[in-house]
Amino acid sequence: MAEPKSNELMEKIVSLCKRRGFIFQSSEIYGGINGFWDYGPLGAEIKRNVKELWWNTMTRMRDDVVGLEATIIMHPQIWRASGHVDTFSDPMCDCKFCGKRFRADQIEPQSGVAYIYSGAESQLDDVESNLNDRLLAAADEAIKASEHVDIVRLKAASEEMVAITVVTAKLRPKISARAAASDALDAVLRPFEALQKLLSTSDSNLDRQEAARLNTLIKATIRKHYYCDEPTRVLLRKGEHPDTARKKARAFYERRKYYLPKLRKEEVEPVENSVGFCPDDGGELTSPQPFNLMFKTHYGPIESDENIAYLRPETAQAIFAQFRNVFDSSRQKVPFGIAQTGKAFRNEVTPRNYTFRSREFEQMELEFFIKPDEAIEAITGSVTKVPETGHPGEPQPSWGWQAWHQYWVEERVRFYEGIGLSRETLGFHRQTAEELAHYARACVDILFKFPFSKRDEKGELLGEELEGIAARSDFDLSQHERFSGKPMGVFDEELRAAWGKLDDAKKAELSKGYYEARLKYLTKSGVEQAKAEKDAKEDADGLAKGHYIPHVIEPSAGVDRLILALICNAFTEVTDTDDKGKSETRVILKFHPRVAPVKVGIMPLLKNKPDIVKKALEVRDLLRPWMNVFYDDGGSIGRRYARQDEAGTPYCLTIDFDTLGEKPELLNTVTIRHRDDGKQERLPISELQAWLLARIR
Ligand code: ATP
């Protein structure tokens, strides 16, 4: 079977997810809410499995990582220290035509012909046009009169303007339906009233300049409301008629309240790969503006600027903020990590690709704290260098940030392989020096090749980010130390002792390296030069006494993206042909048993045979405390298998007459059917639990 096109495939996946209860649109009965998703019965199970596997792998199976469960709303200072208040924004463009909003860095380049207009003017009917001309002429006359301080002429011109305005006002019922004319009148009246006031109070001693200013304003206002000088452009794609561009441009000026706009000066220009036009209607986009992604709220009963709070945009910051408490209470020593899973919220400009970019999602983050390289060198004599690919093996005391970073990249890949995402389904992106934040040393994104991912020139899927693993230096703890005034450093007895044994040249070299790194951080963070130098010197002196702020390696993954990857990876269509040659295509979700929402389907062969049912219920109760089981006695066995295949259940057990001892040698055995190849085997009930646990854990 030919591979379905990516969006067709996604459509099938989305529809299956809804039909089988994996994922529903949030608030669907009210039309949904963009960027928010709910997990149904099967989705909730797979989510639990994913989080539990991550938690077990990252904390319980290791001696050097402990957990944390922090609040979603935290002190707003945290988000200042982390940089989120000032810089957590995406560049955003609006379509000037349809008003839709796009993330500037995600706009698909387009080619075609740009139709450019220098502006437009309202087409008025004869009466309005005549009144308008007279109003403009009177305004011209008033400007001249005020320049010559000719009060008589000025008053006459002004009376003429009043008269015209009154006539126009009388026509209001007719023209008020035309928002443009009505607005123009209102706008003219404001400076006009000011002019009237000026004329009535300073008869002999008229402020010439002010009168001229007001008259110029009146004229400009009139002009502005009938003549638009704002240029615009619209992209015409191949095959579209030029009238389409004109129609869109006219609609653009109409929305700006120009009545029956007549376009001015049309020019055409070929456009190649431009990101300046709306992907939907070809309308001109505004230039990118930063848009902060944090959701704001208030805590306490008063909504004021003093009690603004943010829904956390990541789980990581709580780990940094609680670093000292965890360090002091957990008896861990650097290197060690703190792990947390939980909700995060980002007001994404364009949520898209199903759950991939949501506004509410879950993260699984580890902050792994390590010694600075200077401390490692002082203690072990040198810092191990490892190749940029491949697992560097078991952690060593001589590992600096680079080895730890590589270690975590590879550990995370192992995790994905362990739940069914083979290396071939993954991609990697190592951020370039230009892409890296100023404090980061390296960042590798692990990508999954989603059906909607971009493709390279050979047509191969490139993949989208599942997880980022960043070497963030000591930036985060340093920021919290500066903003909170509380020490975030640790004392390392091993370092203090080792330092004492170094020769002077080594001490000077390591001190210098540490001083320079601290100075760079402090100056980049806006600390004034003299203070930065003083503080960096103190930090370097501290290092010599065994004090430092730990550096951090951060593997940061998204639960929802991973679930989507698992579903896409598992989605398999098979076509069965029956004896009569009739074909039917059905879906098998080939989840790894570890993540599968239901581990085993339990099926009595016949539901009207009480002995079989009794035995099946016994098997269910035997397994239920250990895993998620699904008891199914409805329909033919074939249909029941198919239903479980579609839910991704890796094993189905059938309790039949042989289980009851019809063939004595098969007494108390069941048939186990494997989802992926349909193979069956017979197992004693007494061995079931161990057999299954070995495969699902
Ligand atoms: P992107 O570049 O795709 O916006 P990011 O680099 O901003 O992602 P991080 O801040 O590194 O993402 O967040 C860590 C992880 O959290 C991501 O790798 C991803 O799995 C998940 N994540 C981030 N934003 C979203 C989102 N809007 N919806 C779902 N998951 C997300």
Side-chain angles (χ1 to χ4, degrees), residues 103 346 348 355-358 361 363 365 465-468 556-558 560-561:
R103 235 176 89 167
R346 297 182 186 178
E348 297 281 358
T355 58
F356 179 84
R357 187 170 300 286
S358 307
F361 55 98
Q363 288 186 311
E365 295 194 293
E465 178 179 332
L466 265 193
E467 166 161 1
S556 168
D560 311 77
R561 285 191 188 176

Side-chain angles (χ1 to χ4, degrees), residues 427-440:
F428 299 90
H429 172 67
R430 184 172 282 274
Q431 287 190 6
T432 59
E434 293 74 50
E435 288 173 301
L436 282 177
H438 70 82
Y439 48 80

Side-chain angles (χ1 to χ4, degrees), residues 373 376 383-384 386 391-401 403-404 407:
D373 277 11
I376 299 289
V383 176
T384 304
V386 300
H391 199 296
E394 282 305 297
Q396 301 298 324
S398 56
W399 277 11
W401 72 264
W404 274 113
Y407 168 83

Side-chain angles (χ1 to χ4, degrees), residues 35 84 88 90 103 105-106 293 313-314 344-348 351-352 354-365 416 431 443 445-446 464-470 472 554-562:
H84 284 82
F88 191 55
D90 277 339
R103 235 176 89 167
D105 54 347
Q106 288 173 352
L293 301 184
E314 60 172 40
F345 303 81
R346 297 182 186 178
N347 197 5
E348 297 281 358
R352 63 193 179 122
Y354 201 22
T355 58
F356 179 84
R357 187 170 300 286
S358 307
R359 292 186 165 131
E360 175 175 338
F361 55 98
E362 270 192 83
Q363 288 186 311
M364 307 182 285
E365 295 194 293
Y416 290 122
Q431 287 190 6
C443 185
D445 292 337
I446 301 180
E464 305 285 334
E465 178 179 332
L466 265 193
E467 166 161 1
I469 298 123
R472 299 178 56 88
E554 177 189 79
S556 168
V559 178
D560 311 77
R561 285 191 188 176
L562 176 51

Side-chain angles (χ1 to χ4, degrees), residues 7-188:
N7 47 359
E8 267 174 41
L9 177 57
M10 271 320 287
E11 273 166 30
K12 285 183 185 173
I13 290 173
V14 171
S15 126
L16 176 87
C17 282
K18 177 169 171 173
R19 188 160 52 78
R20 289 311 311 255
F22 282 95
I23 299 171
F24 306 129
Q25 196 181 14
S26 164
S27 325
E28 196 191 89
I29 56 165
Y30 291 102
I33 165 164
N34 200 5
F36 297 86
W37 299 94
D38 294 340
Y39 288 84
L42 291 178
E45 288 294 336
I46 194 171
K47 202 170 189 196
R48 274 174 183 274
N49 292 343
V50 162
K51 287 195 287 182
E52 198 175 294
L53 281 164
W54 183 91
W55 187 261
N56 286 344
T57 312
M58 301 299 262
T59 65
R60 294 189 179 160
M61 298 300 286
R62 302 184 63 103
D63 292 330
D64 57 358
V65 179
V66 289
L68 180 73
E69 183 83 26
T71 57
I72 285 172
I73 291 181
M74 297 186 279
H75 197 290
Q77 256 325 72
I78 288 188
W79 306 112
R80 291 209 174 79
S82 67
H84 284 82
V85 170
D86 292 332
T87 59
F88 191 55
S89 51
D90 277 339
M92 181 199 73
C93 298
D94 291 337
C95 174
K96 292 189 185 174
F97 284 53
C98 66
K100 275 201 194 135
R101 208 152 245 208
F102 301 93
R103 235 176 89 167
D105 54 347
Q106 288 173 352
I107 297 168
E108 287 289 329
Q110 301 183 82
S111 303
V113 180
Y115 275 66
I116 306 162
Y117 301 95
S118 61
E121 54 195 60
S122 297
Q123 291 184 59
L124 307 174
D125 68 18
D126 286 351
V127 180
E128 289 167 73
S129 170
N130 182 279
L131 287 171
N132 197 34
D133 287 348
R134 282 174 55 196
L135 200 54
L136 281 174
D140 269 339
E141 167 68 2
I143 292 169
K144 273 192 212 124
S146 48
E147 275 162 5
H148 295 110
V149 205
D150 187 339
I151 297 191
V152 177
R153 265 174 77 195
L154 181 57
K155 281 202 164 166
S158 144
E159 264 152 34
E160 166 86 348
M161 281 197 277
V162 174
I164 299 164
T165 313
V166 168
V167 175
T168 317
K170 279 198 187 139
L171 286 175
R172 234 167 202 253
K174 181 184 158 226
I175 60 178
S176 62
R178 297 165 187 180
S182 173
D183 280 3
L185 197 60
D186 286 343
V188 169

Side-chain angles (χ1 to χ4, degrees), residues 229-241:
D229 293 327
E230 183 185 348
T232 196
R233 41 177 53 221
V234 53
L235 184 74
L236 209 64
R237 281 85 161 222
K238 215 170 158 203
E240 284 182 315
H241 193 274

